[in-house]
Amino acid sequence: MHGKIGYMKKERECKDKGLWFLYGVRILFYVVAIVLVTVVVVDKLGQGQTVEQIVSDYDVGCATPEEEEAQGFELANMVSGRVFVLGNGDVYYWPKKAVNGLGEMADQKIEAGKITGIANEMIFRGYKIATSGIVNATQLSFGLRYSGENLILIHGDGAVTWVNIYNNNAKLTELEGYDDIVSAAPSVNGDGVPVITLISQNGRQNHLLLNQLNALQAK
C-alpha cells in the first residue's frame, strides 16, 4: 500500500514538473516575442518613422476591405435604343437616334464588367439621364395604343423618376407623393385596359389611372 501511494506521489510530482516546464516554455516564448517587437519598433523609430506609421504597417488584419460595387443591368424590351443602370445608380440611354428632352447627346463610356452579361467596355453617343441613386428600373407600356417607352426609375429612398420616350421626344418627370416605392408592375383597370401599378415597401399597390399615365407622355 505504501509503495502504491509513493508511486502515485512520484507520478503527480512528474506531472507537476511537466506542467511547470510547459508554463516556462510559454513564458519564454512571450518574452522573446516582446523583445523582438521592441527591437523592431526601436529600429523603425530610429529610422524616423512615427508610431502611427509603424502601427499602420502591421494593421493589415484589422483593415476593412472596400465593398465591391454591385453589378449593373440592361433594361429589357427596349425598342428605341438601350438603357443601362449601373451599380452606383447612374442611368445611361444609348438611342438609335437622337431624342429631344434629355439634353445634348454626348460621348459616353461604361467600363468593362460593369453590366451583367456584358464583358467589354462600351463607348457610344447617348445620354446620361439626369438622375442618380437608382436601385431598380423597368420599362412598361400602358393603354390600348402605343404609349412610347416608359422608363420607371426607382431611387433608393423610394422616390420615382418617370421617363417617357415617344416619337423621338423624351419627357422626364419626378413623380410627387411617393417615397416608399420598390418596384413597378403591369396591371389592368376596371375596363380591362392595361395600366401600371407602383408597389410600396409594405406591399401596398398604387394604381396609376390612365389619365395620369397619359399626362406623362412626351407629346
Side-chain angles (χ1 to χ4, degrees):
M1 182 71 176
H2 289 291
K4 186 175 181 180
I5 293 174
Y7 172 78
M8 293 176 64
K9 181 177 181 182
K10 187 174 182 180
E11 184 181 26
R12 185 170 62 251
E13 289 176 352
C14 289
K15 288 182 178 179
D16 291 342
K17 289 180 180 178
L19 290 174
W20 280 110
F21 176 76
L22 291 175
Y23 289 146
V25 171
R26 182 177 297 178
I27 291 172
L28 179 62
F29 173 79
Y30 288 143
V31 171
V32 172
I34 292 172
V35 171
L36 289 175
V37 171
T38 303
V39 170
V40 171
V41 171
V42 171
D43 179 62
K44 287 183 177 291
L45 288 173
Q47 296 175 14
Q49 283 190 271
T50 65
V51 174
E52 290 79 6
Q53 290 172 328
I54 297 171
V55 171
S56 66
D57 289 342
Y58 294 93
D59 196 27
V60 293
C62 298
T64 302
E66 294 183 3
E67 294 185 3
E68 293 186 4
E69 182 180 309
Q71 280 263 296
F73 59 94
E74 180 177 0
L75 262 62
N77 305 320
M78 292 294 297
V79 175
S80 64
R82 303 173 70 179
V83 172
F84 307 98
V85 181
L86 270 62
N88 64 2
D90 291 340
V91 181
Y92 291 88
Y93 175 44
W94 183 357
K96 293 180 179 178
K97 53 184 176 180
V99 298
N100 301 312
L102 294 178
E104 293 294 328
M105 191 161 63
D107 291 333
Q108 309 291 348
K109 181 175 77 172
I110 298 178
E111 296 177 4
K114 293 293 185 179
I115 303 294
T116 300
I118 302 177
N120 298 325
E121 177 184 78
M122 290 184 289
I123 299 177
F124 57 90
R125 294 281 293 175
Y127 306 90
K128 183 176 181 180
I129 296 177
T131 185
S132 62
I134 301 303
V135 297
N136 195 5
T138 188
Q139 195 286 119
L140 296 173
S141 298
F142 60 84
L144 298 176
R145 296 180 297 175
Y146 178 65
S147 60
E149 296 188 293
N150 302 285
L151 312 181
I152 306 165
L153 310 178
I154 300 171
H155 298 251
D157 60 2
V160 179
T161 297
W162 193 291
V163 182
N164 177 263
I165 302 169
Y166 190 93
N167 290 341
N168 299 326
N169 292 311
K171 181 179 180 180
L172 189 150
T173 307
E174 305 289 343
L175 298 190
E176 296 182 357
Y178 298 103
D179 58 6
D180 63 347
I181 302 302
V182 295
S183 64
S187 57
V188 295
N189 64 13
D191 298 325
V193 177
V195 290
I196 296 174
T197 295
L198 302 178
I199 311 298
S200 294
Q201 188 173 13
N202 61 6
R204 185 178 74 253
Q205 297 185 5
N206 306 273
H207 301 290
L208 298 177
L209 302 177
L210 196 57
N211 62 332
Q212 293 175 297
L213 296 170
N214 286 331
L216 300 173
Q217 289 187 269
K219 292 183 176 180

